[in-house]
Amino acid sequence: NIYISMHKIQNSEKVIQNSLLWHGNQLKMTRKKFTRYLTFALCYFVGYFSRVPMYFDRSVPTRNDSQIINEIYKEAINKSAETFLRNGGLVDASMISLGHGSKIRLWDYFGPSYNCISRERVGKIGDGGKWLCGVRTVLAHRFPCIVYSIGSKGEISFEQGVQEKLPHCEIHIFDPTLTSEQKKNIKDSLLNIHFYDLGLGAVDGEFRIKNRKALWTQRTKDVYPVQTLQTIMSKLRHTWIDVLKVDIEGGEWAIFEKLFEQVQIIPATQIQIELHFLGDAKVALNFFNNMKEKGFRVFSVEPNYYGRTAENARLMVEYSFIQVNDEGRVVWEEPSRSILD
């Protein structure tokens, strides 16, 4: 009995030793795992907040995306300004070709100088689609999301694209030039949209077309009701527009010239606009300079090849602008002062 008892005690000691050994190893492993995870977490957060690549590769620049984008933009506009002056500046206001012959066009001085990281085409390929910025990264999470579409001629692939990609966005279409058939097609093709038989104007009232050859408007009538952007937004109780699409067949110059005078801040994050050259390069230059002063930068340029002749590619160009603040960051939210102040 004594022998059996001593044997049981020895076995118990071995069990206890093995148990202590096992728990000790587990503790060591737990400490190793904890240390490993803590190290990884510290590396991740340091890399994320300081934009230092993982594993601290010092051969890669540590500047953030905004600084690099801002630097590229400044270099691009400075180069354009220097080239414009070197080529003689505004040679002839009636010519779309500026500088040395036909190899440099007006539009070349205002190329896409801002890098939108998440640029995306919305609408069909070809005439009608527009380039937007931040569709999936920002606009998909904007509540409310307001889209103004001013002018369409009944071509609504852009609006359909917005509705497919951003079903929560409010779409407001303004066009007093449409036929009854075109209006019906819009209402049948788009759900939950707001249509207004109204145009954008430099002043509230009526817009009378005196020289139809100077504009690309439809021949539905000669007088159209129009309102300023301030009046439209006030009536709809909007203070900020996420996407402002403008295609008004040459009427954009006078309207934006007035808008630049009237407001300090244009209440839109991005503006997709088709510019139609009407023979005065000075007007176009003033437009681009004013857009720059208001904080808008070009992130997409696309000639319109789809007119009656090849000349349209020189006269009609699709531009996408985005508004940034003094630090070069995109203005997604309503600033302290807006168009309605």
Side-chain angles (χ1 to χ4, degrees), residues 85-114:
L85 293 176
R86 188 168 60 248
N87 289 343
L90 184 59
V91 178
D92 187 345
S94 66
M95 300 282 292
I96 195 159
S97 177
L98 298 176
H100 296 155
S102 60
K103 291 187 178 180
I104 291 187
R105 303 289 179 186
L106 169 70
W107 319 114
D108 294 329
Y109 295 105
F110 306 99
S113 52
Y114 182 84

Side-chain angles (χ1 to χ4, degrees), residues 266-279:
I266 298 178
T269 294
Q270 50 189 312
I271 299 176
Q272 283 67 32
I273 183 170
E274 183 173 53
L275 298 177
H276 306 77
F277 186 73
L278 301 181

Side-chain angles (χ1 to χ4, degrees), residues 149 151-154 173-178 183 195-199:
S149 176
S152 67
K153 275 189 178 180
I173 301 176
F174 304 84
D175 197 333
T177 70
L178 301 185
K183 293 177 187 177
F195 176 80
Y196 309 88
D197 198 2
L198 177 73

